[in-house]
Amino acid sequence: MTGSKPHVKTQKSLPRIKVLRALRSAVAGIHRMQGYRWEEHRVGGYKIGVWRKRTLRGLLTRRTERKTFVLVPGFGDSSLSWFPFLKILEPIISTLFDEVALMDFPGFSGHLHEEKGFHSMDLFLRGGSEILSRLNAHTVLGHSLGGWLTTYHAGMAGKKPVRIILVSPSGAFDDNESKVEWGKKFRKVLKSRDFAHFRPFIFEKEPLWFPLVAKEFAKFIGQEDIRAFMRSVGEKHFVEDLLPTLKSDIWFIWGEKDRLVPIKTLVGWTNRLPAHIGANQCILLKDTGHTPQLESVGRLAAAAGKILLTRTP
């Protein structure tokens, strides 16, 4: 019999395809075992998911208004990568808050990874802010794009959230040159459709396991809805003008060697924030890049714990 050979999955390629799917399934199961319930919210024709649970404090006390801690992951990310961080912080969170909520965006790497992603930054910011309002968030930790959304929400919501913790946030810059340099990193990926151009900016030192899931992220970058989302980002979406109006207690955690959003960008935030907030409310993580929840989870959890245990003004 002649003709081309049938395609056979090799032992090397099989785990690359299935590892992230298995992790998602495992983490979803663990979330449910730990008391989280899954919710889906619809905003503008899109789904936003929330893993939500009452803490021990919330179960033991009856309060008219719940004190909720919310995690907002970054671009393409989900609570999957934050699982070790949340486990380390669980004793503190359970003592200080009545409820925990983990946001999950469509098209990203979480429970809604097969759903259509937001095709515009306008819809993402408005939709994400609406969910934060529904959750009545007291304290929000936002990473990267999640920090951008958190800041936008705080600017629109007034007195809530009471506290926000921004981990290597995007959305504000020290000068126009830095903003242009940041934009070039995404435009290069849009033009080439090659994840290899974006990969060096994610970590200071790439974890040994990352090659097993790299193809999933390459696929994510190539999705047309995600590409439309990246193309949609414009000057009107940056939050510099909102910063002077913020009423939340604001803290920063930043990777010293972040190559996607360099630490020098912090000046673009602190120079515009209200006078009571300054660089003293930034904790720097040494030898860490843009993804501290995977690179330096112990140090990140220690920094976040210190902030959470600091009394709000």
Side-chain angles (χ1 to χ4, degrees), residues 74-77 107-109 113 145 185-202 210 213-231 260:
F75 182 57
D77 195 13
F108 287 16
S109 62
H113 65 282
L145 177 62
K185 296 165 187 174
F186 289 89
R187 286 194 295 274
K188 192 169 185 179
V189 175
L190 277 170
K191 184 177 181 179
S192 67
R193 294 178 176 263
D194 189 351
F195 177 59
H197 290 136
F198 193 71
R199 190 169 175 171
F201 301 109
I202 302 175
F210 188 72
V213 298
K215 286 187 177 181
E216 289 275 355
F217 286 93
K219 181 181 176 182
F220 164 76
I221 289 288
Q223 292 173 193
E224 284 307 316
D225 49 356
I226 300 303
R227 290 172 57 78
F229 172 80
M230 289 191 284
R231 285 193 296 267
L260 184 61

Side-chain angles (χ1 to χ4, degrees), residues 25 68 82 89 122 145-148 157 170 176 191 194 200 207 209 224 230 234 248 261 265 275 281 283 301:
S25 178
T68 302
W82 290 84
L89 269 189
D122 284 322
L145 177 62
W148 190 335
S170 301
N176 192 60
K191 184 177 181 179
D194 189 351
W209 52 262
E224 284 307 316
M230 289 191 284
S248 304
V261 189
T265 307
Q281 291 193 200
I283 298 176

Side-chain angles (χ1 to χ4, degrees), residues 227-259:
R227 290 172 57 78
F229 172 80
M230 289 191 284
R231 285 193 296 267
S232 75
V233 177
E235 189 63 35
K236 67 178 181 177
H237 299 119
F238 293 96
V239 295
E240 287 101 343
D241 291 342
L242 288 176
L243 297 182
T245 71
L246 297 184
K247 297 179 175 61
S248 304
D249 179 40
I250 304 169
W251 285 77
F252 298 89
I253 303 175
W254 222 295
E256 177 191 39
K257 296 186 177 180
D258 191 329
R259 289 192 287 267

Side-chain angles (χ1 to χ4, degrees), residues 17 39 52 78 211:
I17 296 169
E39 297 178 352
R52 195 171 185 177
S78 72

